[in-house]
Amino acid sequence: MYKNILIATDGSELAHGAVNHGLGLAKRVGATSILVTVTEQWSSLEMVGAAEGGQLDAIQAYQDAAARSAEAILEDAASMARSMGVACETR
């Protein structure tokens, strides 16, 4: 029936339940799960505020922090998939 199931997560408790449900469905039908999280674009007002506060590369700092956060969120979801025996990819 399904070959791939796309599961979005933001790392929240509510999303954790959705990931669990999606992985359960993937396991039942033998599908691969594709786990995805989306990072919000940096705000120009926040970047101006950071620059005024002396942070010279506020955009890069934001992108680095967002990448670390996304990596942690996806690793948590992938760990759930592994523990359930569900094949997964992360994006």
Side-chain angles (χ1 to χ4, degrees), residues 4-82:
N4 297 293
I5 297 177
L6 179 66
I7 305 169
T9 181
D10 62 3
S12 67
E13 186 176 331
L14 184 60
H16 181 82
V19 170
N20 190 48
H21 181 79
L23 292 173
L25 176 61
K27 183 174 180 78
R28 283 190 298 279
V29 300
T32 296
S33 61
I34 302 169
L35 305 165
V36 63
T37 192
V38 177
T39 301
E40 191 173 335
Q41 181 64 27
W42 48 268
S43 160
S44 57
L45 292 175
E46 289 178 14
M47 295 303 107
V48 167
E52 287 174 347
Q55 189 172 9
L56 299 179
D57 200 357
I59 293 172
Q60 188 62 49
Y62 176 85
Q63 290 174 336
D64 292 345
R68 286 190 303 274
S69 176
E71 186 176 312
I73 289 167
L74 291 174
E75 178 51 39
D76 181 53
S79 176
M80 288 176 62
R82 286 190 296 271

